[in-house]
Amino acid sequence: MTQTHVASESMPRALRAIPAAQLRGRMSVPGDKSISHRALILGGLTVGETLVAGLLEGEDVLATAVAMSAYGADLQRDDDGLWHIHGCGVGGLGEPDGMLDMGNAGTGARLLMGVAAGHAFTSFFTGDASLCSRPMGRVMRPLEEMGTRFLARSGNRLPLAVTGASPVLPLVYRLPVPSAQVKSAVLLAGLHAPGVTTVIEAEGTRDHTERMLRGFGAEVSVETDEAGARHISVPGHQELRPARIRVPGDPSSAAFPVVAAACIPGSSVVVEGVGINPMRTGLFDSLRDMGAVLRFTNERDEGGEPVADLEIEGAELKGVEIPPERAPTMIDEYPVLAVAAACAEGETAMRGLAELRVKESDRLAAVATGLSDNGVAVEELPDGLIVTGQAGRPQGGGTVAARLDHRIAMAFLVLGLLSRDGVTIDDVSPIETSFPGFADLMTGLGAEFEA
Ligand code: S3P
Protein backbone atom coordinates (compact mmCIF):
# COMPACT_ATOMS: atom_id res chain seq x y z
CA MET A 1 0.00 0.00 0.00
CA THR A 2 1.24 3.47 -0.76
CA GLN A 3 0.09 6.80 0.58
CA THR A 4 -1.39 7.72 -2.81
CA HIS A 5 -4.18 5.19 -2.31
CA VAL A 6 -5.59 7.08 0.60
CA ALA A 7 -5.83 10.39 2.36
CA SER A 8 -6.79 11.75 -1.06
CA GLU A 9 -7.20 15.44 -0.32
CA SER A 10 -10.95 15.46 -1.05
CA MET A 11 -12.18 18.76 -2.45
CA PRO A 12 -14.84 20.54 -0.38
CA ARG A 13 -18.18 19.69 -1.99
CA ALA A 14 -21.57 21.11 -1.05
CA LEU A 15 -24.67 18.91 -1.26
CA ARG A 16 -28.36 19.62 -0.68
CA ALA A 17 -30.78 16.97 0.60
CA ILE A 18 -34.24 17.40 -0.86
CA PRO A 19 -37.33 16.60 1.23
CA ALA A 20 -38.13 12.92 0.70
CA ALA A 21 -41.43 11.15 0.41
CA GLN A 22 -41.47 7.62 1.80
CA LEU A 23 -38.20 5.66 1.75
CA ARG A 24 -38.45 2.04 0.69
CA GLY A 25 -36.09 -0.80 -0.18
CA ARG A 26 -33.22 -2.98 0.99
CA MET A 27 -29.62 -1.90 1.37
CA SER A 28 -26.44 -2.83 3.14
CA VAL A 29 -23.95 -0.43 4.67
CA PRO A 30 -20.14 -0.58 4.50
CA GLY A 31 -18.11 -2.53 7.03
CA ASP A 32 -17.79 -1.49 10.65
CA LYS A 33 -15.11 1.16 11.08
CA SER A 34 -14.01 0.11 14.57
CA ILE A 35 -13.72 -3.54 13.58
CA SER A 36 -11.94 -2.71 10.31
CA HIS A 37 -9.17 -0.74 12.05
CA ARG A 38 -8.68 -3.54 14.55
CA ALA A 39 -8.57 -6.25 11.86
CA LEU A 40 -5.74 -4.47 10.03
CA ILE A 41 -3.79 -3.78 13.20
CA LEU A 42 -4.12 -7.25 14.74
CA GLY A 43 -3.54 -8.91 11.35
CA GLY A 44 -0.29 -6.94 11.18
CA LEU A 45 0.75 -8.42 14.54
CA THR A 46 0.52 -12.01 13.33
CA VAL A 47 2.87 -14.14 11.28
CA GLY A 48 1.02 -15.93 8.46
CA GLU A 49 -1.97 -14.83 6.42
CA THR A 50 -4.97 -13.02 7.87
CA LEU A 51 -7.95 -12.65 5.52
CA VAL A 52 -10.45 -9.84 5.97
CA ALA A 53 -13.75 -9.73 4.07
CA GLY A 54 -16.05 -6.72 4.10
CA LEU A 55 -13.38 -4.26 5.25
CA LEU A 56 -14.56 -0.66 5.29
CA GLU A 57 -12.59 0.97 2.49
CA GLY A 58 -13.14 4.47 3.77
CA GLU A 59 -10.36 7.02 4.20
CA ASP A 60 -9.98 6.43 7.95
CA VAL A 61 -9.36 2.71 7.62
CA LEU A 62 -7.15 3.12 4.56
CA ALA A 63 -4.97 5.49 6.61
CA THR A 64 -4.50 2.66 9.11
CA ALA A 65 -3.67 0.29 6.24
CA VAL A 66 -1.00 2.67 4.97
CA ALA A 67 0.40 3.02 8.49
CA MET A 68 0.57 -0.76 8.97
CA SER A 69 2.42 -1.03 5.64
CA ALA A 70 4.84 1.64 6.83
CA TYR A 71 5.48 -0.55 9.89
CA GLY A 72 6.39 -3.45 7.58
CA ALA A 73 3.16 -5.47 7.29
CA ASP A 74 2.18 -6.63 3.82
CA LEU A 75 -1.43 -5.76 2.92
CA GLN A 76 -2.96 -6.65 -0.43
CA ARG A 77 -6.54 -6.32 -1.65
CA ASP A 78 -7.59 -8.91 -4.23
CA ASP A 79 -10.11 -8.39 -7.01
CA ASP A 80 -12.90 -9.84 -4.86
CA GLY A 81 -12.31 -7.18 -2.22
CA LEU A 82 -10.70 -9.64 0.19
CA TRP A 83 -7.75 -8.20 2.13
CA HIS A 84 -4.70 -10.45 2.63
CA ILE A 85 -2.46 -9.38 5.50
CA HIS A 86 0.95 -10.84 6.28
CA GLY A 87 2.10 -9.33 9.53
CA CYS A 88 5.34 -9.16 11.45
CA GLY A 89 4.33 -10.74 14.77
CA VAL A 90 3.86 -9.10 18.17
CA GLY A 91 6.82 -6.76 18.71
CA GLY A 92 8.11 -7.39 15.19
CA LEU A 93 7.13 -4.16 13.42
CA GLY A 94 9.84 -2.01 11.83
CA GLU A 95 10.48 1.71 12.16
CA PRO A 96 8.45 3.72 9.62
CA ASP A 97 10.50 5.97 7.32
CA GLY A 98 8.26 8.98 7.60
CA MET A 99 5.28 10.52 9.35
CA LEU A 100 2.18 8.38 9.82
CA ASP A 101 -0.62 10.56 8.47
CA MET A 102 -3.78 9.25 10.10
CA GLY A 103 -6.06 11.72 8.31
CA ASN A 104 -9.29 12.05 10.30
CA ALA A 105 -8.93 8.71 12.10
CA GLY A 106 -8.91 9.00 15.89
CA THR A 107 -9.27 5.24 16.31
CA GLY A 108 -6.38 4.49 13.96
CA ALA A 109 -4.15 7.06 15.64
CA ARG A 110 -4.87 6.09 19.23
CA LEU A 111 -4.75 2.32 18.73
CA LEU A 112 -1.51 2.55 16.77
CA MET A 113 0.04 4.61 19.57
CA GLY A 114 -0.60 1.59 21.79
CA VAL A 115 1.18 -0.64 19.28
CA ALA A 116 4.00 1.89 18.84
CA ALA A 117 4.45 1.88 22.64
CA GLY A 118 5.77 -1.68 22.41
CA HIS A 119 8.43 -0.95 19.80
CA ALA A 120 11.71 0.68 20.84
CA PHE A 121 11.90 3.19 18.02
CA THR A 122 10.23 6.52 17.34
CA SER A 123 6.96 6.80 15.40
CA PHE A 124 5.66 10.18 14.25
CA PHE A 125 1.90 10.73 14.00
CA THR A 126 -0.05 13.52 12.35
CA GLY A 127 -3.54 13.98 10.93
CA ASP A 128 -5.97 16.46 9.44
CA ALA A 129 -7.03 19.70 11.17
CA SER A 130 -9.80 17.87 13.05
CA LEU A 131 -7.54 15.08 14.36
CA CYS A 132 -4.78 17.57 15.24
CA SER A 133 -7.24 19.39 17.51
CA ARG A 134 -8.26 16.28 19.47
CA PRO A 135 -6.85 15.35 22.91
CA MET A 136 -4.17 12.65 22.91
CA GLY A 137 -3.20 13.04 26.59
CA ARG A 138 -5.78 10.40 27.49
CA VAL A 139 -3.69 7.81 25.60
CA MET A 140 -0.29 9.30 26.40
CA ARG A 141 -0.74 9.17 30.19
CA PRO A 142 -1.22 5.39 30.59
CA LEU A 143 1.33 4.62 27.89
CA GLU A 144 3.87 6.84 29.66
CA GLU A 145 3.22 4.86 32.84
CA MET A 146 4.14 1.79 30.79
CA GLY A 147 7.52 3.33 29.94
CA THR A 148 6.78 5.00 26.60
CA ARG A 149 7.98 8.57 25.89
CA PHE A 150 5.97 11.18 23.98
CA LEU A 151 6.75 14.58 22.56
CA ALA A 152 3.57 16.37 21.51
CA ARG A 153 2.31 19.78 20.52
CA SER A 154 0.70 21.99 23.18
CA GLY A 155 -2.40 20.49 24.75
CA ASN A 156 -1.06 16.99 24.00
CA ARG A 157 -2.20 17.20 20.41
CA LEU A 158 -0.86 15.88 17.13
CA PRO A 159 1.63 15.99 15.53
CA LEU A 160 3.45 13.95 18.14
CA ALA A 161 6.34 11.53 18.42
CA VAL A 162 6.20 8.35 20.46
CA THR A 163 9.28 6.39 21.43
CA GLY A 164 8.31 2.92 22.51
CA ALA A 165 9.86 0.81 25.25
CA SER A 166 11.00 -2.77 24.99
CA PRO A 167 9.61 -4.29 27.04
CA VAL A 168 6.81 -2.01 28.21
CA LEU A 169 5.79 -2.29 31.85
CA PRO A 170 2.54 -4.09 32.63
CA LEU A 171 -0.09 -1.73 34.04
CA VAL A 172 -3.36 -1.79 35.94
CA TYR A 173 -5.28 1.20 34.60
CA ARG A 174 -8.69 2.56 35.53
CA LEU A 175 -10.11 4.54 32.61
CA PRO A 176 -10.85 8.15 33.65
CA VAL A 177 -13.20 8.54 30.64
CA PRO A 178 -15.27 5.77 29.06
CA SER A 179 -13.18 5.31 25.91
CA ALA A 180 -12.74 2.14 23.89
CA GLN A 181 -9.85 3.78 22.09
CA VAL A 182 -7.91 4.33 25.31
CA LYS A 183 -8.80 0.85 26.57
CA SER A 184 -7.62 -0.67 23.30
CA ALA A 185 -4.37 1.32 23.20
CA VAL A 186 -3.44 0.09 26.69
CA LEU A 187 -4.37 -3.53 25.91
CA LEU A 188 -2.39 -3.45 22.65
CA ALA A 189 0.63 -2.03 24.47
CA GLY A 190 0.13 -4.72 27.12
CA LEU A 191 0.75 -7.42 24.50
CA HIS A 192 4.40 -6.33 24.65
CA ALA A 193 4.73 -6.42 28.47
CA PRO A 194 6.31 -9.15 30.61
CA GLY A 195 3.23 -9.60 32.79
CA VAL A 196 -0.50 -8.97 32.86
CA THR A 197 -1.99 -5.60 31.87
CA THR A 198 -5.47 -4.81 33.16
CA VAL A 199 -7.86 -2.05 32.12
CA ILE A 200 -10.75 -1.28 34.45
CA GLU A 201 -13.78 0.44 32.97
CA ALA A 202 -16.58 1.67 35.22
CA GLU A 203 -18.92 1.90 32.21
CA GLY A 204 -18.65 -0.73 29.50
CA THR A 205 -17.40 0.53 26.14
CA ARG A 206 -17.36 -1.26 22.78
CA ASP A 207 -15.51 -4.54 23.23
CA HIS A 208 -14.33 -5.26 19.69
CA THR A 209 -10.67 -5.38 20.75
CA GLU A 210 -11.31 -7.99 23.41
CA ARG A 211 -13.44 -10.11 21.05
CA MET A 212 -10.98 -9.86 18.20
CA LEU A 213 -7.92 -10.59 20.35
CA ARG A 214 -9.65 -13.83 21.31
CA GLY A 215 -10.37 -14.48 17.63
CA PHE A 216 -6.63 -14.17 17.00
CA GLY A 217 -6.02 -16.80 19.68
CA ALA A 218 -4.99 -14.48 22.52
CA GLU A 219 -5.85 -15.06 26.14
CA VAL A 220 -8.09 -12.24 27.42
CA SER A 221 -10.02 -12.35 30.66
CA VAL A 222 -12.99 -10.14 31.49
CA GLU A 223 -14.38 -9.97 35.01
CA THR A 224 -17.07 -7.75 36.45
CA ASP A 225 -16.65 -6.54 40.05
CA GLU A 226 -19.39 -5.86 42.66
CA ALA A 227 -19.63 -2.23 41.47
CA GLY A 228 -20.26 -3.41 37.90
CA ALA A 229 -16.85 -2.31 36.59
CA ARG A 230 -15.25 -4.53 33.92
CA HIS A 231 -11.65 -5.65 34.45
CA ILE A 232 -10.09 -6.66 31.14
CA SER A 233 -6.72 -8.40 31.39
CA VAL A 234 -4.19 -9.53 28.79
CA PRO A 235 -0.99 -11.38 29.59
CA GLY A 236 1.91 -10.01 27.55
CA HIS A 237 4.28 -11.77 25.18
CA GLN A 238 1.50 -13.80 23.58
CA GLU A 239 1.65 -14.97 19.99
CA LEU A 240 -1.34 -13.99 17.84
CA ARG A 241 -2.53 -16.53 15.26
CA PRO A 242 -3.69 -15.36 11.82
CA ALA A 243 -7.48 -15.25 11.52
CA ARG A 244 -10.28 -14.99 8.97
CA ILE A 245 -12.53 -12.04 9.66
CA ARG A 246 -15.84 -11.04 8.15
CA VAL A 247 -16.52 -7.41 9.08
CA PRO A 248 -20.22 -6.76 9.80
CA GLY A 249 -22.04 -3.68 8.50
CA ASP A 250 -21.44 -0.66 10.71
CA PRO A 251 -24.38 0.10 13.03
CA SER A 252 -23.12 3.69 13.23
CA SER A 253 -23.55 3.96 9.44
CA ALA A 254 -26.87 2.08 9.47
CA ALA A 255 -28.03 4.75 11.91
CA PHE A 256 -28.57 7.24 9.05
CA PRO A 257 -30.97 5.23 6.85
CA VAL A 258 -32.60 3.83 9.99
CA VAL A 259 -33.43 7.29 11.35
CA ALA A 260 -34.46 8.59 7.93
CA ALA A 261 -36.93 5.71 7.45
CA ALA A 262 -38.10 5.68 11.07
CA CYS A 263 -39.20 9.32 10.89
CA ILE A 264 -41.28 9.16 7.67
CA PRO A 265 -44.58 7.35 8.25
CA GLY A 266 -45.18 4.83 5.45
CA SER A 267 -41.47 4.14 4.91
CA SER A 268 -40.22 0.57 4.99
CA VAL A 269 -36.50 -0.20 4.81
CA VAL A 270 -34.31 -3.22 5.51
CA VAL A 271 -30.61 -2.75 6.25
CA GLU A 272 -28.89 -6.12 5.87
CA GLY A 273 -25.98 -7.57 7.82
CA VAL A 274 -25.55 -4.94 10.53
CA GLY A 275 -23.48 -5.51 13.67
CA ILE A 276 -25.68 -5.60 16.78
CA ASN A 277 -23.01 -5.89 19.43
CA PRO A 278 -24.88 -4.75 22.59
CA MET A 279 -22.17 -2.13 23.21
CA ARG A 280 -23.25 -0.44 19.94
CA THR A 281 -27.05 -0.64 19.83
CA GLY A 282 -28.09 2.24 22.12
CA LEU A 283 -29.54 4.23 19.20
CA PHE A 284 -31.87 1.38 18.26
CA ASP A 285 -33.06 1.10 21.88
CA SER A 286 -33.61 4.85 22.01
CA LEU A 287 -35.57 4.90 18.76
CA ARG A 288 -37.79 2.11 20.08
CA ASP A 289 -38.34 4.16 23.26
CA MET A 290 -39.48 6.98 20.95
CA GLY A 291 -42.03 4.68 19.31
CA ALA A 292 -40.06 3.54 16.25
CA VAL A 293 -40.95 0.23 14.65
CA LEU A 294 -37.57 -1.48 14.41
CA ARG A 295 -36.94 -5.23 14.35
CA PHE A 296 -33.78 -7.35 14.28
CA THR A 297 -34.30 -10.37 12.02
CA ASN A 298 -32.08 -13.19 10.81
CA GLU A 299 -29.83 -12.83 13.87
CA ARG A 300 -26.53 -14.69 13.55
CA ASP A 301 -22.93 -14.70 14.74
CA GLU A 302 -20.21 -13.70 12.29
CA GLY A 303 -16.65 -14.11 13.49
CA GLY A 304 -17.42 -13.45 17.15
CA GLU A 305 -19.75 -10.48 16.53
CA PRO A 306 -23.59 -10.64 16.56
CA VAL A 307 -25.18 -9.53 13.28
CA ALA A 308 -28.79 -9.04 12.11
CA ASP A 309 -30.90 -7.50 9.37
CA LEU A 310 -32.69 -4.37 10.59
CA GLU A 311 -36.30 -3.82 9.49
CA ILE A 312 -37.63 -0.30 9.97
CA GLU A 313 -41.07 1.10 9.37
CA GLY A 314 -41.81 4.81 9.55
CA ALA A 315 -43.90 6.05 12.45
CA GLU A 316 -44.74 9.17 14.44
CA LEU A 317 -42.12 9.44 17.16
CA LYS A 318 -42.37 11.03 20.58
CA GLY A 319 -39.66 12.76 22.62
CA VAL A 320 -38.04 10.89 25.52
CA GLU A 321 -35.30 11.31 28.11
CA ILE A 322 -32.26 9.31 26.95
CA PRO A 323 -30.62 7.60 29.97
CA PRO A 324 -27.07 9.03 30.34
CA GLU A 325 -25.71 5.56 31.16
CA ARG A 326 -26.64 4.49 27.63
CA ALA A 327 -24.14 6.96 26.15
CA PRO A 328 -21.19 4.57 25.57
CA THR A 329 -23.43 2.29 23.49
CA MET A 330 -24.46 5.08 21.13
CA ILE A 331 -21.72 7.66 21.51
CA ASP A 332 -21.40 8.32 17.77
CA GLU A 333 -25.16 8.34 17.15
CA TYR A 334 -26.25 11.47 19.05
CA PRO A 335 -26.12 13.79 16.02
CA VAL A 336 -28.58 11.62 14.10
CA LEU A 337 -30.65 10.91 17.21
CA ALA A 338 -31.01 14.69 17.60
CA VAL A 339 -32.37 14.77 14.05
CA ALA A 340 -34.97 12.12 14.97
CA ALA A 341 -35.78 14.18 18.07
CA ALA A 342 -36.35 17.23 15.85
CA CYS A 343 -39.20 15.36 14.08
CA ALA A 344 -40.69 13.81 17.22
CA GLU A 345 -43.48 15.19 19.33
CA GLY A 346 -42.25 16.84 22.54
CA GLU A 347 -38.85 17.21 24.13
CA THR A 348 -35.94 14.80 23.90
CA ALA A 349 -33.26 15.32 26.55
CA MET A 350 -29.74 13.90 26.17
CA ARG A 351 -27.25 14.37 28.98
CA GLY A 352 -23.87 13.05 30.17
CA LEU A 353 -22.31 13.81 26.78
CA ALA A 354 -19.22 15.93 27.54
CA GLU A 355 -17.23 13.49 25.37
CA LEU A 356 -19.10 14.75 22.31
CA ARG A 357 -17.13 17.99 22.58
CA VAL A 358 -13.89 16.16 21.63
CA LYS A 359 -15.06 14.02 18.73
CA GLU A 360 -14.26 14.82 15.07
CA SER A 361 -15.88 18.20 15.91
CA ASP A 362 -17.55 19.65 18.99
CA ARG A 363 -20.72 17.72 18.21
CA LEU A 364 -22.90 19.39 20.83
CA ALA A 365 -22.15 22.81 19.34
CA ALA A 366 -22.41 21.52 15.75
CA VAL A 367 -25.79 19.87 16.34
CA ALA A 368 -27.21 22.81 18.30
CA THR A 369 -26.19 25.30 15.60
CA GLY A 370 -27.35 23.06 12.76
CA LEU A 371 -30.76 22.43 14.30
CA SER A 372 -31.47 26.03 15.23
CA ASP A 373 -30.38 27.23 11.77
CA ASN A 374 -33.07 24.90 10.39
CA GLY A 375 -35.91 26.09 12.58
CA VAL A 376 -35.64 23.55 15.42
CA ALA A 377 -35.68 24.76 19.04
CA VAL A 378 -32.71 23.33 20.89
CA GLU A 379 -30.97 24.09 24.17
CA GLU A 380 -27.24 23.37 24.33
CA LEU A 381 -26.12 22.26 27.80
CA PRO A 382 -22.48 21.91 28.88
CA ASP A 383 -22.89 18.14 28.53
CA GLY A 384 -26.00 17.62 26.48
CA LEU A 385 -28.86 18.83 24.34
CA ILE A 386 -32.58 19.33 24.80
CA VAL A 387 -34.36 19.23 21.46
CA THR A 388 -37.97 20.36 21.10
CA GLY A 389 -39.50 18.24 18.38
CA GLN A 390 -41.76 19.59 15.64
CA ALA A 391 -44.18 16.63 15.65
CA GLY A 392 -43.53 16.29 11.93
CA ARG A 393 -41.26 17.92 9.39
CA PRO A 394 -38.88 20.63 10.64
CA GLN A 395 -38.63 23.73 8.44
CA GLY A 396 -35.06 23.23 7.13
CA GLY A 397 -33.79 25.68 4.53
CA GLY A 398 -30.43 26.23 6.24
CA THR A 399 -26.83 25.52 5.32
CA VAL A 400 -24.89 23.45 7.84
CA ALA A 401 -21.11 23.51 8.29
CA ALA A 402 -19.79 19.93 8.37
CA ARG A 403 -16.71 20.99 10.41
CA LEU A 404 -14.63 18.10 8.92
CA ASP A 405 -17.05 15.73 10.67
CA HIS A 406 -18.58 12.90 8.62
CA ARG A 407 -21.37 12.24 11.09
CA ILE A 408 -22.42 15.90 11.22
CA ALA A 409 -22.56 15.92 7.42
CA MET A 410 -24.69 12.74 7.23
CA ALA A 411 -26.96 13.62 10.16
CA PHE A 412 -27.90 16.95 8.56
CA LEU A 413 -28.39 15.41 5.12
CA VAL A 414 -30.93 13.17 6.88
CA LEU A 415 -32.50 16.27 8.43
CA GLY A 416 -32.81 17.65 4.92
CA LEU A 417 -34.70 14.54 3.76
CA LEU A 418 -37.04 14.88 6.73
CA SER A 419 -37.53 18.65 6.41
CA ARG A 420 -39.96 20.84 4.47
CA ASP A 421 -37.36 22.95 2.62
CA GLY A 422 -34.29 20.69 2.37
CA VAL A 423 -30.88 21.25 4.00
CA THR A 424 -27.51 22.06 2.40
CA ILE A 425 -24.20 20.79 3.81
CA ASP A 426 -21.25 23.02 2.96
CA ASP A 427 -18.81 20.10 2.51
CA VAL A 428 -19.75 16.43 2.30
CA SER A 429 -16.22 15.20 1.47
CA PRO A 430 -15.64 14.00 5.10
CA ILE A 431 -18.32 11.32 4.52
CA GLU A 432 -15.61 9.37 2.66
CA THR A 433 -13.93 8.64 6.00
CA SER A 434 -16.64 6.22 7.12
CA PHE A 435 -19.41 5.80 4.55
CA PRO A 436 -18.28 5.79 0.92
CA GLY A 437 -21.34 5.68 -1.33
CA PHE A 438 -23.67 7.20 1.27
CA ALA A 439 -25.64 9.41 -1.12
CA ASP A 440 -25.98 6.67 -3.77
CA LEU A 441 -27.25 4.13 -1.24
CA MET A 442 -29.77 6.60 0.14
CA THR A 443 -30.83 7.45 -3.42
CA GLY A 444 -31.56 3.74 -3.88
CA LEU A 445 -34.19 4.09 -1.13
CA GLY A 446 -35.83 7.06 -2.84
CA ALA A 447 -33.83 9.97 -1.39
CA GLU A 448 -32.72 12.83 -3.64
CA PHE A 449 -29.71 15.12 -3.39
CA GLU A 450 -28.51 17.96 -5.56
CA ALA A 451 -24.98 19.28 -5.90
C1 S3P B 1 -14.15 4.00 18.81
C2 S3P B 1 -14.46 4.45 20.07
C3 S3P B 1 -15.23 5.68 20.32
C4 S3P B 1 -15.99 6.15 19.08
C5 S3P B 1 -15.12 6.10 17.87
C6 S3P B 1 -14.64 4.70 17.60
C7 S3P B 1 -13.34 2.77 18.66
O1 S3P B 1 -14.34 6.70 20.69
O2 S3P B 1 -16.48 7.45 19.29
O3 S3P B 1 -15.83 6.57 16.74
O4 S3P B 1 -13.29 2.22 17.55
O5 S3P B 1 -12.76 2.33 19.66
P1 S3P B 1 -13.83 6.89 22.21
O6 S3P B 1 -12.98 5.76 22.56
O7 S3P B 1 -13.07 8.19 22.19
O8 S3P B 1 -15.09 6.97 23.02
Side-chain angles (χ1 to χ4, degrees), residues 33-34 38 107 110 138 178-181 206 331-332 355 359:
K33 183 153 75 72
S34 294
R38 285 158 173 82
T107 303
R110 291 184 175 131
R138 54 181 57 198
S179 166
Q181 294 176 354
R206 65 190 69 192
I331 195 68
D332 292 332
E355 273 295 295
K359 293 293 179 188

Coordinates of all heavy atoms in Angstrom, one line a residue, residues 33-34 38 107 110 138 178-181 206 331-332 355 359, ligand 1:
K33 N -16.4 0.4 11.0 CA -15.1 1.2 11.1 C -14.2 0.7 12.2 O -13.0 0.4 12.0 CB -15.4 2.7 11.2 CG -14.2 3.5 11.2 CD -14.5 4.9 10.6 CE -15.2 5.8 11.6 NZ -14.4 6.2 12.8
S34 N -14.8 0.5 13.4 CA -14.0 0.1 14.6 C -13.4 -1.3 14.3 O -12.2 -1.5 14.6 CB -14.9 0.0 15.8 OG -15.4 1.3 16.2
R38 N -9.3 -2.5 13.7 CA -8.7 -3.5 14.5 C -8.2 -4.7 13.7 O -7.2 -5.4 14.0 CB -9.7 -4.0 15.6 CG -9.9 -2.9 16.7 CD -11.2 -3.0 17.4 NE -11.3 -2.2 18.6 CZ -11.7 -0.9 18.6 NH1 -11.9 -0.3 17.4 NH2 -11.8 -0.2 19.7
T107 N -9.5 6.6 15.9 CA -9.3 5.2 16.3 C -7.9 4.7 15.8 O -7.2 4.1 16.6 CB -10.4 4.4 15.8 OG1 -11.7 4.9 16.2 CG2 -10.3 2.9 16.3
R110 N -5.0 6.5 17.8 CA -4.9 6.1 19.2 C -4.5 4.6 19.4 O -3.7 4.3 20.2 CB -6.1 6.5 20.0 CG -6.3 8.0 20.1 CD -7.5 8.3 21.0 NE -7.6 9.8 21.2 CZ -8.7 10.5 21.0 NH1 -9.8 9.9 20.6 NH2 -8.8 11.8 21.2
R138 N -5.1 11.5 26.9 CA -5.8 10.4 27.5 C -5.1 9.1 27.1 O -5.2 8.1 27.9 CB -7.2 10.4 27.0 CG -7.4 10.5 25.5 CD -8.9 10.5 25.1 NE -9.6 11.6 25.6 CZ -10.9 11.6 25.6 NH1 -11.7 10.7 25.1 NH2 -11.6 12.7 26.1
P178 N -14.9 7.0 29.7 CA -15.3 5.8 29.1 C -14.8 5.8 27.6 O -15.5 6.4 26.8 CB -16.8 5.7 29.2 CG -17.2 7.1 29.4 CD -16.0 7.9 30.0
S179 N -13.7 5.2 27.3 CA -13.2 5.3 25.9 C -12.6 4.0 25.5 O -11.6 3.5 26.0 CB -12.1 6.4 25.8 OG -11.4 6.2 24.6
A180 N -13.2 3.4 24.4 CA -12.7 2.1 23.9 C -11.4 2.3 23.2 O -10.6 1.4 23.1 CB -13.8 1.6 22.9
Q181 N -11.1 3.5 22.7 CA -9.9 3.8 22.1 C -8.7 3.7 23.1 O -7.7 3.1 22.9 CB -9.9 5.1 21.4 CG -10.8 5.2 20.2 CD -10.9 6.5 19.5 OE1 -10.4 7.5 20.0 NE2 -11.6 6.6 18.4
R206 N -17.4 -0.2 23.8 CA -17.4 -1.3 22.8 C -16.2 -2.2 23.0 O -15.1 -1.8 23.3 CB -17.4 -0.6 21.4 CG -16.1 0.2 21.0 CD -16.3 0.9 19.7 NE -17.3 2.0 19.9 CZ -17.8 2.7 18.9 NH1 -17.5 2.5 17.7 NH2 -18.7 3.7 19.2
I331 N -22.4 6.4 21.4 CA -21.7 7.7 21.5 C -21.6 8.4 20.2 O -21.6 9.6 20.1 CB -20.3 7.4 22.2 CG1 -19.7 8.8 22.6 CG2 -19.4 6.6 21.3 CD1 -20.4 9.4 23.7
D332 N -21.5 7.7 19.1 CA -21.4 8.3 17.8 C -22.8 8.6 17.1 O -22.8 9.2 16.1 CB -20.6 7.4 16.8 CG -19.2 7.3 17.2 OD1 -18.6 8.2 17.9 OD2 -18.5 6.3 16.9
E355 N -18.2 14.1 26.4 CA -17.2 13.5 25.4 C -17.5 14.0 23.9 O -16.6 14.0 23.1 CB -17.3 12.0 25.4 CG -16.5 11.3 26.5 CD -15.0 11.5 26.1 OE1 -14.5 11.0 25.1 OE2 -14.3 12.2 26.9
K359 N -15.0 15.0 19.9 CA -15.1 14.0 18.7 C -14.5 14.7 17.5 O -13.8 15.7 17.6 CB -16.5 13.5 18.5 CG -17.0 12.7 19.7 CD -16.3 11.4 19.8 CE -16.8 10.5 20.9 NZ -15.9 9.4 21.1
Ligands
S3P1 C1 -14.2 4.0 18.8 C2 -14.5 4.5 20.1 C3 -15.2 5.7 20.3 C4 -16.0 6.1 19.1 C5 -15.1 6.1 17.9 C6 -14.6 4.7 17.6 C7 -13.3 2.8 18.7 O1 -14.3 6.7 20.7 O2 -16.5 7.5 19.3 O3 -15.8 6.6 16.7 O4 -13.3 2.2 17.5 O5 -12.8 2.3 19.7 P1 -13.8 6.9 22.2 O6 -13.0 5.8 22.6 O7 -13.1 8.2 22.2 O8 -15.1 7.0 23.0

